[in-house]
């Protein structure tokens, strides 16, 4: 296995990052680009051995990092943010190649938000304080103490941004981290390890282990030295993680998406409502907070639908690297099958496809609006 691949001109190390150094695995898995379905490279495939090594590195690094003064931790987090800012273009093109989201979105919003996440928690850390207070003759003191090694398991739809929503606060609080990125989009996590090391983050404070959940993920979440677990993803996987965590009473947080509706009443600004509704196709609809159900008051439903169809027809679907593209591909053939299954079952149950309802070739699915649903 090559230790490095070049993605759109950007070198990316395909090995794990454990204890401040690159670590290879005997086995690999193939990372494919959803843009064209072509293989990007072979990625180190972690298992129990890599999980044990990463947790050990995080455990060993924890006492010194926890004892590091807040101002110094904040300084390093700002240095990581500076490193992200310098590499926005590289991070953007690698992530677009890896997960298929729009390059223009990565450049203008997503990667700048990655840097902002580190800056926000660095600044928040320095403001975290509470005066002592008296109750019935007793002095009360409030402190914030780091927990220890944290396992952070992140999704594929906004890989780096959602990873830093977990990594930045964990590091700010004085915890050490083992980050396990989704196997469908692992590349920018590897680049984050490089940036963090260049910023002066001590060895072992951030570790990145790649691989499949059933192999390395289970070994991480069941490890008795792990003090916190955070997971964003599916309900079935969350159940498995919760069972692993329960054996050691490891506290965990789960973010499992949702199906919240977008509500449109008769007195709404219909133009604004339609604009927001069509925006739910962002990232090919692969957004956990997308309002994928539209509940529209009957008296305005026909006009709303007419305007929606008109606006959606103006969207351009295609290569996410092109500036004029509005909708890119779905992340993986399995995801495409899942989406088509939703649509076909709905059509079979009597729904009507006002627009879309079909695959478009490759990993692209037409923007779809179904009406007459139960």
């Amino acid at each position: 296995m090559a230790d490095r691949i070049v993605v759109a001109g950007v070198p990316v190390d395909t090995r794990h990052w454990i204890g401040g150094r690159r670590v290879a695995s005997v086995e690999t898995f193939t990372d494919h680009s959803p843009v064209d379905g072509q293989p990007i490279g072979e990625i180190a495939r972690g298992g129990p051995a890599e999980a044990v090594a990463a947790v050990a590195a995080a455990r060993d690094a924890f006492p010194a990092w926890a004892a590091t003064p807040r101002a110094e931790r904040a300084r390093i987090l700002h240095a990581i943010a500076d490193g992200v800012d310098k590499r926005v273009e590289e991070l953007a093109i690698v992530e677009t190649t890896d997960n298929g989201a729009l390059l223009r979105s990565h450049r203008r919003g997503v990667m700048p938000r990655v840097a902002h996440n580190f800056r926000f928690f660095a600044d928040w850390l320095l403001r975290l304080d509470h005066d002592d207070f008296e109750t019935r003759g007793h002095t009360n003191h409030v402190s914030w103490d780091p927990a220890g090694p944290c396992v952070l398991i992140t999704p594929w739809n906004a890989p780096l941004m959602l990873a830093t929503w977990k990594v930045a606060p964990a590091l700010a609080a004085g915890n050490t981290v083992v980050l396990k990125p989704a196997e469908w989009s692992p590349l920018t996590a590897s680049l984050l390890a490089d940036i963090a090391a260049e910023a002066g983050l001590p060895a072992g404070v951030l570790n990145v282990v790649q691989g499949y959940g059933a192999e390395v993920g289970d070994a991480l979440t069941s490890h008795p030295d792990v003090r916190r677990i955070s997971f964003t993803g599916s309900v079935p996987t969350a159940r498995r993680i919760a069972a692993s965590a329960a054996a050691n009473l490891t506290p965990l947080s789960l973010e499992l998406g949702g199906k919240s509706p977008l509500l449109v009443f008769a007195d709404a600004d219909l133009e604004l409502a339609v604009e927001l509704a069509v925006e739910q196709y962002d990232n090919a609809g692969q957004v956990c907070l997308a309002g994928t159900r539209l509940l529209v008051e009957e008296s305005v439903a026909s006009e709303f639908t007419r305007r929606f169809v008109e606006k959606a027809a103006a969207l351009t679907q295609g290569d996410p690297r092109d500036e004029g593209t509005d909708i890119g591909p779905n992340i993986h053939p399995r995801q495409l099958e899942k989406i088509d299954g939703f649509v076909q079952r709905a059509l079979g149950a009597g729904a009507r496809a006002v627009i879309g309802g079909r695959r478009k070739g490759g990993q692209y699915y037409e923007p779809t609006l179904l009406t007459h649903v139960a």
Side-chain angles (χ1 to χ4, degrees):
M1 180 191 82
D3 291 343
R4 281 179 175 263
I5 56 176
V6 178
V7 182
V10 182
V12 182
D13 203 300
T14 58
R15 297 170 292 177
H16 314 288
W17 178 255
I18 300 174
R21 64 186 184 90
R22 289 293 175 176
V23 176
S25 288
V26 174
E27 294 188 77
T28 64
F29 64 93
T30 305
D31 185 26
H32 291 84
S33 174
V35 178
D36 53 15
Q38 294 301 304
I40 302 173
E42 295 296 311
I43 312 300
R45 180 174 169 177
E50 289 82 359
V52 168
V55 173
R59 180 195 62 215
D60 293 346
F62 172 67
W65 182 245
T68 300
R70 290 186 189 180
E72 177 62 9
R73 294 206 302 266
R75 184 194 67 77
I76 292 175
L77 292 184
H78 274 291
I80 295 173
D82 291 341
V84 171
D85 283 337
K86 290 175 184 174
R87 300 185 68 177
V88 162
E89 186 64 26
E90 293 180 8
L91 292 166
I93 188 60
V94 169
E95 190 139 297
T96 290
T97 304
D98 205 18
N99 89 322
L102 299 184
L103 179 58
R104 71 169 193 243
S105 295
H106 281 139
R107 282 173 173 158
R108 298 171 190 172
V110 176
M111 295 309 162
R113 178 58 187 265
V114 168
H116 173 75
N117 287 344
F118 282 103
R119 296 195 195 284
F120 175 88
F121 287 105
D123 294 341
W124 168 85
L125 172 65
L126 296 180
R127 293 196 296 267
L128 192 62
D129 201 5
H130 198 299
D131 293 335
D132 290 352
F133 59 98
E134 300 288 328
T135 54
R136 297 190 300 275
H138 297 277
T139 299
N140 298 273
H141 178 75
V142 179
S143 65
W144 287 265
D145 300 319
C150 300
V151 166
L152 311 178
I153 302 175
T154 53
W156 45 258
N157 58 336
L160 190 57
M161 186 180 71
L162 296 182
T164 59
W165 271 354
K166 301 177 188 291
V167 171
L171 296 182
N175 299 299
T176 53
V177 165
V178 179
L179 171 63
K180 192 275 181 194
E183 61 269 22
W184 290 352
S185 56
L187 299 182
T188 47
S190 180
L191 294 178
L192 177 62
D194 293 336
I195 292 169
E198 291 164 6
L201 190 69
V205 175
L206 171 65
N207 306 275
V208 179
V209 181
Q210 300 146 164
Y212 297 114
E215 297 172 356
V216 71
D218 280 354
L220 288 171
T221 56
S222 62
H223 198 294
D225 289 339
V226 171
R227 292 293 177 261
R228 295 289 186 274
I229 299 169
S230 178
F231 169 73
T232 300
S234 71
V235 170
T237 302
R239 290 195 180 104
R240 188 166 181 168
I241 291 171
S244 292
N248 299 310
L249 296 178
T250 307
L252 75 159
S253 63
L254 305 171
E255 197 276 277
L256 310 178
K259 298 294 286 184
S260 298
L262 189 149
L263 308 176
V264 183
F265 295 101
D267 62 349
D269 179 337
L270 276 194
E271 194 59 34
L272 176 60
V274 167
E275 183 179 331
L276 293 174
V278 172
E279 282 180 8
Q280 308 313 300
Y281 292 130
D282 179 48
N283 199 13
Q286 302 171 131
V287 179
C288 58
L289 45 72
T292 49
R293 293 182 296 142
L294 309 178
L295 303 184
V296 185
E297 193 164 350
E298 192 168 7
S299 62
V300 295
S302 294
E303 178 62 14
F304 175 89
T305 303
R306 183 191 70 77
R307 295 192 194 189
F308 183 101
V309 170
E310 185 178 88
K311 197 166 189 68
L315 297 173
T316 299
Q317 186 171 29
D319 192 322
R321 297 166 296 189
D322 294 342
E323 186 72 16
T325 297
D326 300 304
I327 304 176
N330 295 107
I331 182 79
H332 192 275
R334 271 168 45 195
Q335 186 70 3
L336 195 73
E337 289 290 338
K338 185 177 183 181
I339 292 164
D340 192 47
F342 289 145
V343 172
Q344 298 311 318
R345 287 193 296 275
L347 293 175
R352 301 178 190 174
V354 180
I355 56 171
R358 296 180 297 274
R359 303 174 192 230
K360 201 174 179 180
Q363 286 170 215
Y364 295 80
Y365 203 92
E366 291 182 344
T368 299
L369 178 67
L370 303 177
T371 62
H372 296 81
V373 294

